[in-house]
Amino acid sequence: MKKEIFNFTHFSRSFRGICFISFLWSCSSLMVFSVLPLYLTDYLGLNDRQIGQLEGVAIFLSFFTKVISGTISDLKTGRRPFIILGSFFTVVTRPLFALFPSFWGIWSIRLIDRMGKGFRSAPTDAYIGDISKRKNYTSTYGYRQAFYTSGAVCGAGLSMLFLYFWPLNYRLIFFSSMVPAFFAFILIFSELTFPKSSSGKSHSAKSKSVFTELFTPSKKSYRELFSFPRAFWPFLVACFFLMLAR
C-alpha cells in the first residue's frame, strides 16, 4: 500500500497562514523571554525570589486563561475573537517592556502578555482542527508545531545576535520583537478564513466586531461538555498531572 505524503503546499491557505503566524508569535516571544531574566537581574537588580514569583504568577495566568478561552470559544461563536485579541496583546506589550523599566511595570506587562497568549493558544489549536480533515490531523498539528519551534529558535538566535553587536541593549531587542508580532497580527486578517458558526453565518476576518462576536452566544449548549467519549476524561486527568509536573 502506497503511503500518502502530505506536502505543506497542498494544505489550505488558512492552514499555511496559521503556521506562519505561529512562527512569528514564537519568534517574537523568544526574542524577549530568552533575555528577560538577564534584563531583570542585570538592569533592574531583581533577585531570584522576585523573578520566581513573577514567572509563577505569569505562567499560572497563562494556563488559566487557556482553559477559559478554549471553553468559551467552543460554547460561543468560535475562535476568531480570541485569536485576534491574544495577538493584539502580544503586539502591544512588546515595546512596553522597554518603556516601563521597573519591577511592577515588568510584572504587569508580563501578566498581560501571558494572558494574551492564553487567549489565543487553545482557540488556535481548535482552529487547526476546524480547518483540517480528520485523516490529516497528525500532519497538520505536526507542521504547526514545527513552525512554532522554528520560530522559537529564530527568536532566541536573533536575541543572541543583538546582544553580540549591541551588548546589553535590551531595549533594542524589546522594540525589535514587536516587528514579527505586528506581521502576525496583519496575517490574521489577510490569510485566515474562519469556518461557519453554528448559526450558519460565515466568520470571515472582516465580518463582525470582535467584541460583538465574543459576547454573542451561539446555539451550542454547555451540555456538550459532557458529550465526549468516556476515554477522554482519564486522558484529561493524566494531562493535568503531566502539566503539574512540568
Side-chain angles (χ1 to χ4, degrees):
M1 181 177 179
K2 187 177 180 180
K3 184 178 180 180
E4 186 174 3
I5 300 176
F6 298 102
N7 191 318
F8 180 70
T9 59
H10 294 168
F11 290 107
S12 67
R13 177 174 177 174
S14 291
F15 174 73
R16 296 196 302 271
I18 201 65
C19 285
F20 285 114
I21 290 168
S22 297
F23 175 90
L24 294 171
W25 280 338
S26 185
C27 179
S28 175
S29 294
L30 265 293
M31 285 183 69
V32 173
F33 302 135
S34 60
V35 300
L36 188 60
L38 294 174
Y39 176 74
L40 294 175
T41 54
D42 296 344
Y43 191 84
L44 298 184
L46 301 186
N47 56 43
D48 295 341
R49 178 179 59 82
Q50 291 173 312
I51 296 175
Q53 291 173 341
L54 187 153
E55 288 299 308
V57 175
I59 292 173
F60 164 78
L61 185 61
S62 175
F63 281 96
F64 179 77
T65 310
K66 285 181 183 181
V67 175
I68 302 299
S69 65
T71 302
I72 296 178
S73 73
D74 281 338
L75 297 177
K76 287 187 177 289
T77 56
R79 327 299 180 190
R80 175 179 177 265
F82 296 98
I83 295 175
I84 292 176
L85 287 177
S87 189
F88 176 76
F89 282 145
T90 300
V91 175
V92 170
T93 55
R94 292 298 177 259
L96 296 182
F97 282 104
L99 296 176
F100 295 94
S102 66
F103 172 75
W104 290 110
I106 296 296
W107 191 82
S108 302
I109 297 163
R110 181 81 164 111
L111 294 187
I112 295 172
D113 175 76
R114 292 298 87 185
M115 185 172 66
K117 183 179 187 299
F119 265 124
R120 60 177 164 80
S121 290
T124 298
D125 289 340
Y127 173 71
I128 294 173
D130 293 340
I131 62 175
S132 303
K133 296 179 180 179
R134 182 178 295 272
K135 67 175 184 177
N136 295 345
Y137 278 171
T138 54
S139 297
T140 53
Y141 282 102
Y143 272 121
R144 193 261 181 171
Q145 189 60 38
F147 272 81
Y148 196 83
T149 303
S150 299
V153 174
C154 181
L158 286 173
S159 292
M160 291 174 60
L161 290 176
F162 274 101
L163 289 177
Y164 179 80
F165 289 105
W166 298 278
L168 302 181
N169 195 343
Y170 298 111
R171 290 187 175 186
L172 177 61
I173 297 175
F174 296 153
F175 280 120
S176 299
S177 68
M178 184 181 176
V179 175
F182 175 76
F183 280 109
F185 187 72
I186 297 300
L187 286 177
I188 293 174
F189 294 91
S190 64
E191 299 298 318
L192 303 189
T193 301
F194 292 83
K196 291 182 179 181
S197 68
S198 58
S199 61
K201 295 181 180 180
S202 178
H203 288 257
S204 67
K206 300 178 181 179
S207 57
K208 300 194 300 183
S209 163
V210 171
F211 293 100
T212 300
E213 191 173 319
L214 181 60
F215 295 106
T216 302
S218 70
K219 296 179 181 180
K220 292 185 178 180
S221 168
Y222 286 89
R223 293 179 181 176
E224 293 186 15
L225 287 174
F226 302 98
S227 65
F228 296 114
R230 181 178 297 179
F232 170 78
W233 299 106
F235 176 75
L236 187 63
V237 172
C239 290
F240 170 83
F241 284 106
L242 288 173
M243 294 304 296
L244 188 64
R246 178 185 174 186

